[in-house]
């Protein structure tokens, strides 16, 4: 597995923790690993062969919106890359 980009969302008044998002490539597929910073929880979701730029754009969007790691797999599956 190769990590290609890292994004973070800051804590705010609704959420008192930061969330990190790492774009990774494994074989011919891209994915996003999301985690609570400083915690032991993480979630990986495979996007597929959508391309590096699309994977990075999606991870940046998740960081901008502060998407919780529990939700990234559901969102990606709903997008049907």
């Amino acid at each position: 597995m190769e990590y290609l980009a890292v994004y973070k969302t800051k804590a705010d008044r609704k959420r008192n923790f930061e969330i990190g998002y790492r774009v990774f490539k494994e074989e011919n597929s891209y994915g996003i690993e999301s985690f609570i910073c400083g915690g032991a929880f993480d979630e990986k979701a495979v996007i597929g062969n959508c391309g590096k730029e699309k994977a990075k754009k999606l991870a940046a969007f998740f960081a901008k919106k502060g998407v919780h790691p529990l939700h990234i797999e559901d969102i990606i599956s709903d997008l049907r890359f």
Side-chain angles (χ1 to χ4, degrees):
M1 182 181 328
E2 174 188 3
Y3 289 104
L4 306 171
V6 178
Y7 301 91
K8 269 190 179 177
T9 184
K10 299 284 185 190
D12 60 23
R13 59 188 170 121
K14 295 179 186 177
R15 180 184 17 80
N16 64 351
F17 52 87
E18 294 181 334
I19 303 172
Y21 308 86
R22 292 185 202 133
V23 176
F24 66 87
K25 182 178 181 185
E26 189 167 36
E27 296 179 17
N28 292 328
S29 291
Y30 291 89
I32 298 174
E33 178 181 28
S34 182
F35 56 94
I36 307 267
C37 297
F41 180 79
D42 70 347
E43 184 75 29
K44 287 184 184 169
V46 175
I47 300 170
N49 59 356
C50 66
K52 179 170 69 171
E53 292 309 312
K54 195 165 199 171
K56 288 167 74 174
K57 189 175 181 178
L58 184 58
F61 176 76
F62 286 168
K64 181 179 178 182
K65 296 297 183 180
V67 176
H68 194 282
L70 285 174
H71 302 297
I72 64 168
E73 190 169 11
D74 289 335
I75 293 169
I76 289 170
S77 70
D78 287 348
L79 293 173
R80 305 239 192 271
F81 281 97

